[in-house]
């Protein structure tokens, strides 16, 4: 994980609810994930300075936003917040909403034209906020939050009211914001698919507490992560950088921690990043590499661990390349044929699925 930019240790008591959350947040997108009612929005509001009864410590870099004898008001914390309902000024145009934030900005922040270009707002500027669609309003709300020059962007389930096509479009825009504007994001969601698509870091919350924290790749590779993310089976998340494109066969080559992989269906420039999901059903183990196969990728693996299941099958943890983890689920008969044991060297046919692309 990158160096923490936001650290907090907060408590809040209400009838029937207690918040006691401690964590550190780095650059990129940190998904604050958990079931409805677990305290995600309350924690986000506390970070923004909107929960006056919250006690504890919040530090942003060397600045103390909250601590012994210190409680910086919301407008001095440098946070931008976007809610489900956007909270745009309906009597203003889209441009008026953007300019409102720009006029009240303290210090440095993104350029207005760059924000408009990044979020595709040019065609909306003269329209009244009252007639914007849900997706259009969320894009304007994101633009307004960015133009306020935030140190941290706090997003509270901003896509909850959008239909799937709109959600996909906005997810792509949000994924690119930290890289483009160097602003870390805390993203509240109860949807596992949004975590897998967006998150760099995952903070899993339950009953008012952060119960697990880590990089997405680490959390998703653990059994506790599978159940939290509704995976239904062992899986891992990998990321790869585009290093080559085969135009004749339509395949893109990625450099990953497991080695070089070829994928189809995406056409990207060198340097772009691709997020991949590999479930245990996408992995086939072999004693020897195949001479010919329809699968694009065969990698060398070694058995790192074996867990026998109640039905007699084996859940096999595999190591590949540099620091990459992989899971396979095989029958007892297959395990005997492959002589599965820790340290055993094998080959794996894998079929990675693309779940995110970002330049």
């Amino acid at each position: 994980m990158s160096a923490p930019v936001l650290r907090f240790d907060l408590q809040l008591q209400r009838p029937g609810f207690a918040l006691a959350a401690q964590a550190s947040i780095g650059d990129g997108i940190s998904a604050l994930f958990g079931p409805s009612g677990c305290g995600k929005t309350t924690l986000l509001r506390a970070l923004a300075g909107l929960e006056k009864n919250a006690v504890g410590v919040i530090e942003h870099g060397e600045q103390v936003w909250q601590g012994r004898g210190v409680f910086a008001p919301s407008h001095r914390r440098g946070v931008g917040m976007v809610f489900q309902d956007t909270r745009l000024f309906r009597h203003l145009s889209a441009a008026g909403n953007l300019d409102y934030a720009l006029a009240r900005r303290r210090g440095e922040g993104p350029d207005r034209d760059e924000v408009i270009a990044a979020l595709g707002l040019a065609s909306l500027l003269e329209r009244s906020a009252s007639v914007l669609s849900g997706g259009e309003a969320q894009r304007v709300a994101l633009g307004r939050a960015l133009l306020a020059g935030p140190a941290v962007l706090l997003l509270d389930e901003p896509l909850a009211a959008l239909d799937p096509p709109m959600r996909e479009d906005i997810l792509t825009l949000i994924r690119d914001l930290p890289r483009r504007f160097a602003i870390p994001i805390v993203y509240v969601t109860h949807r596992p698919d949004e975590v897998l698509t967006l998150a760099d870091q995952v903070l899993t919350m339950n009953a008012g507490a952060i119960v697990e924290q880590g990089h997405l790749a680490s959390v998703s590779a653990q059994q506790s992560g599978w159940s939290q993310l509704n995976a239904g089976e062992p899986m891992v998340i990998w990321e790869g950088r585009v290093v080559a494109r085969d135009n004749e066969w339509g395949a893109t080559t990625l450099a990953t921690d497991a080695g070089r992989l070829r994928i189809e269906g995406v056409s990207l420039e060198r340097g772009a990043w691709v997020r991949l999901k590999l479930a245990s059903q996408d992995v086939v183990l072999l004693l020897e590499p195949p001479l010919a196969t329809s699968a694009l990728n065969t990698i060398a693996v070694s058995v790192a661990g074996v867990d026998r299941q109640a039905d007699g099958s084996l859940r096999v943890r595999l190591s590949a390349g540099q620091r990459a983890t992989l899971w396979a689920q095989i029958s007892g008969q297959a395990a005997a044929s492959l002589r599965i044991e820790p340290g055993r060297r094998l080959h794996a046919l894998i079929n990675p699925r693309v779940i995110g692309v970002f330049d």
Side-chain angles (χ1 to χ4, degrees), residues 166-228:
M166 281 188 184
R167 286 181 61 251
E168 291 301 319
D169 290 343
I170 305 294
L171 279 173
T172 301
L173 292 174
I174 292 172
R175 174 64 257 181
D176 192 47
L177 293 180
R179 180 199 61 81
R180 187 155 189 171
F181 298 110
I183 299 173
I185 293 176
V186 182
Y187 186 97
V188 164
T189 183
H190 67 279
R191 296 181 61 103
D193 61 316
E194 292 184 0
V195 176
L196 295 178
T197 300
L198 285 176
D200 299 301
Q201 182 186 189
V202 182
L203 291 82
T204 304
M205 196 167 187
N206 191 33
I210 305 294
V211 296
E212 188 169 13
Q213 176 181 359
H215 192 277
L216 175 64
S218 299
V219 172
S220 65
Q222 304 299 319
Q223 187 165 350
S224 59
W226 308 330
S227 57
Q228 292 162 6

Side-chain angles (χ1 to χ4, degrees), residues 26 46-47 86 189 196 202 244 298 327 348:
L47 294 176
T86 73
T189 183
L196 295 178
V202 182
T298 305
W327 289 90

Side-chain angles (χ1 to χ4, degrees), residues 241-254 260-270 274 294-297 354:
R241 182 172 54 85
V242 175
V243 294
R245 171 72 181 168
D246 185 338
N247 291 318
E248 180 180 0
W249 297 106
T252 297
T253 301
L254 307 177
R260 296 207 167 190
L261 303 179
R262 286 163 59 85
I263 58 172
E264 296 177 321
V266 295
S267 179
L268 298 167
E269 298 296 325
R270 283 175 178 264
V274 176
S294 61
L296 287 180
N297 297 291
V354 175

Side-chain angles (χ1 to χ4, degrees), residues 93-95 119-128 132 135-137 139-140:
S93 65
L119 297 175
L121 302 179
S123 64
L124 307 178
L125 294 178
E126 302 308 315
R127 293 172 58 187
S128 170
L132 297 176
E136 292 167 343
R139 283 191 282 142
V140 174

